[in-house]
Amino acid sequence: MTPTSGIVKDRNANDVKPGAASPLSADELARMDAYWRAANYLSVGQIYLLDNPLLKEPLKHEHIKPRLLGHWGTSPGLNMLCVHLNRVIRRDDLNMIYVIGPGHGGPSLVAHAYLEGTYSEVYPNVTQDADGMRTLFRQFSFPGGIPSHVSPETPGSIHEGGELGYALSHAYGAAFDNPDLVVACVVGDGEAETGPLATGWHGNKFLNPARDGCVLPILHLNGYKIANPCYLARIPEIELRKYLEGMGYAPHLVEGRDPERVHQQLATALDLAVAEIRRIQAAARTNGTVTRPAWPMIVFRTPKGWTCPAVIDGKKCEDYWRSHQVPMGDMDSAEHVRILESWMKSYRPEELFDARGRRARAPTRTPTAEGSCGISGCPTSATMRSTSRLRARPPRNPRA
């Protein structure tokens, strides 16, 4: 049941169909793909780099942290979801918050808060330039800095990422008696094996579409937890669908490893889910429909550690459990330094950030085989709009 590069299989009316109209224009696709790459670049940089944030000089051992902590495997999927949620927020003026169950994907949430400007607003020492990016990277999992998980220091945080299983409970708690709120809640497939999460699915039984907001669960099937496969990614698709339908959801399935195709599929799935949420709420609030609905949800199947090196030291890394935390832990190896530099340059940071480390201002190429574009004008992280004004305790300035 590993992800494939094809469009999700046409097995159900809720699935994204092969040949369906692409909701993203070429320009929108290019900008969203560039924003995704920028978030991926910042996520890797937080885990590994102590200096040389824009790779303006050849990467050296002294540019890398002496002790590496963090979780890469879930971050690229979380990054893509955040970009796409921002698209529907901006288009429909949604009041939405983003809860990630795999909160160990802290690099992702920090990266998006930084890209949108919120992080620099809350922490003025983390500026929107090369010096600020260096500080952002250096403070992550570093003495005097911030934890590797989503924590109270993350602007807008309402869900800590260390103890798995409570994401849906927190998401439904936020939605109750909050009729205008949509809570997009990512459930990791490893997290889905915990008892609290298994119970959390049933929060939909208490959701009243007439007076409550709604929760949009997103099951992220990347196939592996810390060192083992995950069973929800291994059972037959029809069995997974029946399991989710039996808990009262209408799943939309998205699957792939080719970014351009996944961008289009995910955009379509979110359009369908938002339309269905609006229909359910309108029926309850306008027509007085009181029947418990089958709320939409999304199954998002992408590779573990998506876009990291496929093989390191002759061992599989991308789409495997080895990418869960730090794909390369021994950075005394000159070969590992070379691999890290190549990996980070694969996101083409020179297209994403200018010479001073600020976001690029003009598109250059499309995200096909020819390349990609700058990120100015991309949907930004309005996901945190309802909570990003919360002020957190600033981290101390970490020492080099």
Side-chain angles (χ1 to χ4, degrees), residues 35 38-39 42 110-118 128 353 359 375 380:
Y35 207 95
L42 294 175
V110 171
H112 284 275
Y114 179 74
L115 280 172
E116 74 177 25
T118 299
Q128 294 278 303
F353 307 98
R359 285 180 11 182
I375 61 179
T380 55

Side-chain angles (χ1 to χ4, degrees), residues 76-156:
L78 296 179
N79 286 337
M80 180 170 281
L81 289 168
C82 193
V83 172
H84 278 261
L85 291 168
N86 289 323
R87 168 181 169 266
V88 295
I89 288 168
R90 288 171 62 91
R91 183 194 66 195
D92 298 339
D93 194 28
L94 296 177
N95 182 21
M96 177 181 280
I97 61 173
Y98 183 38
V99 171
I100 62 166
H104 48 277
S108 170
L109 269 289
V110 171
H112 284 275
Y114 179 74
L115 280 172
E116 74 177 25
T118 299
Y119 209 91
S120 299
E121 180 185 344
V122 177
Y123 306 120
N125 63 308
V126 186
T127 50
Q128 294 278 303
D129 54 22
D131 288 340
M133 192 182 297
R134 181 184 297 108
T135 302
L136 185 83
F137 289 174
R138 182 171 293 189
Q139 71 178 9
F140 181 82
S141 288
F142 201 80
I146 62 174
S148 63
H149 294 171
V150 172
S151 65
E153 288 89 347
T154 306

Side-chain angles (χ1 to χ4, degrees), residues 250-335:
H252 299 263
L253 273 63
V254 174
E255 177 181 4
R257 67 186 312 144
D258 176 70
E260 183 171 350
R261 291 185 176 185
V262 177
H263 277 303
Q264 294 289 5
Q265 291 180 62
L266 184 55
T268 298
L270 278 171
D271 287 352
L272 293 171
V274 169
E276 184 64 7
I277 289 169
R278 286 180 157 180
R279 187 198 64 77
I280 290 169
Q281 292 180 336
R285 298 172 187 183
T286 304
N287 304 325
T289 303
V290 294
T291 303
R292 181 167 65 86
W295 291 96
M297 66 166 294
I298 293 173
V299 177
F300 185 55
R301 189 192 292 267
T302 57
K304 185 84 168 181
W306 200 8
T307 71
C308 81
V311 176
I312 299 175
D313 296 335
K315 298 177 181 178
K316 184 176 182 180
C317 190
E318 184 193 34
D319 197 18
Y320 204 53
W321 60 264
R322 290 191 183 93
S323 66
H324 177 81
Q325 292 179 300
V326 179
M328 294 180 295
D330 175 18
M331 297 308 293
D332 291 331
S333 164
E335 176 64 12

Side-chain angles (χ1 to χ4, degrees), residues 19 22 39 44 90 110 158 169 184 195 226 232-233 244 253 281 288 302 314 332 337 362 364 371:
S22 298
V44 179
R90 288 171 62 91
V110 171
I158 67 168
S169 297
I226 188 167
L232 287 185
L244 298 171
L253 273 63
Q281 292 180 336
T302 57
D332 291 331
V337 174
T364 55

Side-chain angles (χ1 to χ4, degrees), residues 344-365:
M344 295 193 71
K345 285 187 173 181
S346 72
Y347 300 119
R348 303 189 295 283
E350 69 280 359
E351 299 176 2
L352 308 173
F353 307 98
D354 65 19
R356 294 183 297 170
R358 300 178 185 274
R359 285 180 11 182
R361 293 298 177 189
T364 55
R365 294 180 284 173

